[in-house]
Amino acid sequence: VVKALALAKHKKGKDPAFLYPSPPKSTNFVALTHTNFVTKFKSLATKIGLNPQQVSGHSFRRGGATFAFELTENHSLIKYVGDWLSDCYLIYNEMDSE
C-alpha cells in the first residue's frame, strides 16, 4: 500500500488516496468516499442476491483482519494496515478459530 501511494500522481498529504471517474468513463475524477463506496457496494450486493442490510463497509475491515491473521502473526502490521486504533481487531481472530 505504501509503495502504491508513493507512485500516485496525487502526492499531497490531503489528497484522496482513491479516485474514480464520475460519471463512468469520463475524464472527471472524484474522491472515493466512504458513503459512495458503501452505496455502490450495497447496490452490487443486491444485484447478486444478497440482502444489502447485511453488508456494510465494516465487512471489509472485518474480512481484512480475518484474512490478515491467515497471512501473518505480526499483530502490529495487522493493526497498522487495518487502521485499528484499539485491540478490538483481535476478536476477529478469536471468531475465526471457533
Side-chain angles (χ1 to χ4, degrees):
V1 171
V2 174
K3 286 182 182 179
L5 291 175
L7 295 172
K9 293 179 182 177
H10 50 282
K11 294 183 179 181
K12 295 178 185 170
K14 294 187 179 186
D15 284 350
F18 302 101
L19 302 170
Y20 69 98
S22 179
K25 299 182 182 180
S26 77
T27 57
N28 181 42
F29 286 84
V30 296
L32 178 62
T33 64
H34 178 267
T35 300
N36 58 31
F37 175 81
V38 171
T39 300
K40 185 65 172 178
F41 177 53
K42 287 179 179 276
S43 172
L44 293 171
T46 301
K47 288 181 180 181
I48 63 168
L50 296 176
N51 180 347
Q53 299 301 317
Q54 294 181 330
V55 296
S56 71
H58 187 70
S59 302
F60 287 91
R61 292 192 79 206
R62 180 178 179 170
T66 301
F67 182 64
F69 279 115
E70 293 176 11
L71 299 176
T72 183
E73 294 181 13
N74 184 336
H75 288 226
S76 296
L77 179 62
I78 294 169
K79 194 171 179 177
Y80 174 75
V81 171
D83 198 28
W84 296 97
L85 300 178
S86 71
D87 289 336
C88 67
Y89 72 98
L90 293 169
I91 193 169
Y92 301 118
N93 188 36
E94 294 170 11
M95 292 172 66
D96 190 49
S97 64
E98 292 178 359

